[in-house]
Structure formats: structure tokens, C-alpha cells
Amino acid sequence: MVGAFQGAGVVVTGAGGGIGAALARRFAAEGARVVVNDLDAERARRTADEVGGTAVPGDASAILTEARDALDGTVDVYCANAGVGFDGGAADGPLDEHAWAASWDVNVMAHVRAAHALLPAWLERGSGRFVSTVSAAGLLTMIGAAPYAVSKHGALAFAEWLSLTYRHRGVKVHAICPQGVRTDMLAATGSAGDLVLQPTAIEPEAVADALLKGIEDDRFLILPHPEVAAYHQARAGDPDRWLTGMNRIQQQWEATR
């Protein structure tokens, strides 16, 4: 797809490192003009300098006007990649209201706010592309991390709703659902991540490759770990069997703590 996005205006949130930085590099290699967003201004500038883009640091929910201005008024692709991951959330432990509120705000509502701001122009011109970095946790779940798992389900549900509502009007939507990716977020998952995610973890560049291939194939669901499709089918086909299997993993994890 060399040059497929030549001249396109692309915004990538949470692009100071990890998956976001890999997406920024890949779109820039395709000829796009890239706006790099991250809460950490220095990391945003570092990625922007690397890809020849423009750094727009700050809260992903509040940078769209500045990002649009940096792209001469037009955003062609918006990558809702910024995310947070909190563990805990068990009903029998302390209730961390902050973890739940932050997870919902960053992992879901930031996507809603971006779509609300972008859709009027996209619908008027009949084109636009919304990329949501979800996680396999949005299709399946994640042990030990209720706020993350639940909010990622919400992110996937919103991406699905966007697609079914606006695809006939030219809006393309893609949901990226990888398992473990070698990023700072994976490193912070602790023993649960070591058990479930680390054994099959991939590099962020593999996620970017999967997205571009999914765009080329015009697919909504992007699975950098193809085996997730079978897990998702098993979950839908026999929920009780799937939950029993996941509970065995939960017990295995508890035994190592």
C-alpha cells in the first residue's frame, strides 16, 4: 500500500510510544501528514520529529480543533489509540472509582467525543476513516482487570455502532483487537499479563502492519493475533464452556500470586 495515504491528514492519539507511535510511523511511510498526540508533550514531539509530523500534546478528548488546524482543516483518518489500563475491580475488594471513571472516559468517551466532532464534515463530504485501538479484551476479557476489560467492550461496541450506522455514507471504521503487544502498558500488567499475554506478545509494528492490511481488505475487525477469531467463536458458541476455561486460567493465576 505504498503511497495509499499520500497527502491524507491523519491524527493518532496516544502516539508517544507503543502502538500509537507505530501507527504514526506507518501512516507517514504511506505519505500521510500526521498529527501526533500524547499526554506527554516530550514523547509526542519525539515521535512527531521522527515521522516529520506535527505534535499536538494534551488530552486526546480536547485536541481535535488544534489537530484539524495543523492539517489545514481536514482530518481524513482518526486513530483513537490513547488508552489506559487499570487492574483490579473485583467485587470482593476495594472499589476504585477513579480506575472505573478514567477507564470509561479515556477508553470509550474519548472515542465518542472524537466521532461527534468528526462526523459532520465526514458525512458532508461522504468519506472519513475512524480507527479504534480496542484490544482482544474487548472481544474476550482480561483476568484481574475489570475496568480495562469492561471499557474495551464498550470501545468495541461503539466502533461497531459507528460502522453499522454510517458505512453507507462513506465512513469506514476499523477496530484493532490485539492480544499482548510489547509496550509499556503490557509491562504494567504484572503477573496476569505474564501468564496470559507475554507468551504470544508481538511488536507494535506488527499491529500497524495488520491495520494497513485490514484497510486494504476493507475489514472492520483487525486481529493481529489471528487465533483470537477462534477464541471469539468459542465464546459465542458455548459461553459456559468458555467461562469455565477462563476460570481455570483465573485459578492458575491466583495460585501464582
Side-chain angles (χ1 to χ4, degrees), residues 2 19-20 56 82 89 93 106 127 208 221-222 244:
V2 175
I19 293 173
V56 179
V106 178
S127 67
L221 192 60
I222 311 297
T244 297

Side-chain angles (χ1 to χ4, degrees), residues 140 223 225-237 242:
L140 305 170
L223 300 179
H225 293 80
E227 61 270 26
V228 169
Y231 302 156
H232 183 47
Q233 290 172 357
R235 176 179 178 269
W242 181 80

Side-chain angles (χ1 to χ4, degrees), residues 1-253:
M1 292 186 71
V2 175
F5 291 93
Q6 186 69 44
V10 177
V11 178
V12 186
T13 67
I19 293 173
L23 294 177
R25 287 191 291 267
R26 186 59 190 271
F27 277 111
E30 296 290 331
R33 297 170 297 125
V34 181
V35 164
V36 176
N37 160 258
D38 200 273
L39 269 177
D40 187 319
E42 179 55 35
R43 295 185 74 186
R45 281 191 286 270
R46 191 161 56 241
T47 301
D49 288 345
E50 179 186 351
V51 304
T54 303
V56 179
D59 186 328
S61 291
I63 54 89
L64 196 50
T65 297
E66 187 176 352
R68 187 186 281 119
D69 290 344
L71 295 171
D72 300 323
T74 301
V75 176
D76 299 293
V77 182
Y78 186 89
C79 297
N81 173 77
V84 294
F86 291 94
D87 59 10
D92 61 349
L95 180 60
D96 189 339
E97 295 277 1
H98 167 73
W100 281 99
S103 296
W104 191 256
D105 191 64
V106 178
N107 295 346
V108 181
M109 290 308 301
H111 299 201
V112 174
R113 296 182 190 109
H116 183 263
L118 290 162
L119 277 168
W122 284 0
L123 295 175
E124 182 178 358
R125 77 183 195 213
S127 67
R129 195 176 298 273
F130 194 96
V131 178
S132 176
T133 300
V134 180
S135 166
L139 284 169
L140 305 170
T141 192
M142 180 59 195
I143 63 171
Y148 183 76
V150 173
S151 60
K152 288 300 186 177
H153 272 72
L156 179 63
F158 182 65
E160 288 175 334
W161 185 88
L162 278 181
S163 182
L164 70 88
T165 303
Y166 297 112
R167 60 171 46 208
H168 67 292
R169 298 178 67 181
V171 176
K172 303 287 189 178
V173 183
H174 309 277
I176 313 172
C177 295
Q179 288 189 292
V181 183
R182 296 188 184 99
T183 65
D184 292 344
M185 186 177 287
L186 176 60
T189 58
S191 58
D194 290 344
L195 176 64
V196 178
L197 302 175
Q198 285 284 7
T200 59
I202 59 177
E203 296 298 331
E205 288 73 20
V207 178
D209 289 344
L211 172 62
L212 269 292
K213 183 63 167 65
I215 289 174
E216 185 177 12
D217 295 341
D218 197 23
R219 282 187 283 111
F220 166 77
L221 192 60
I222 311 297
L223 300 179
H225 293 80
E227 61 270 26
V228 169
Y231 302 156
H232 183 47
Q233 290 172 357
R235 176 179 178 269
D238 193 339
D240 288 299
R241 182 176 180 180
W242 181 80
L243 286 168
T244 297
M246 289 301 297
N247 179 252
R248 291 194 190 100
I249 297 174
Q250 172 73 20
Q251 293 178 60
Q252 184 182 351
W253 176 54

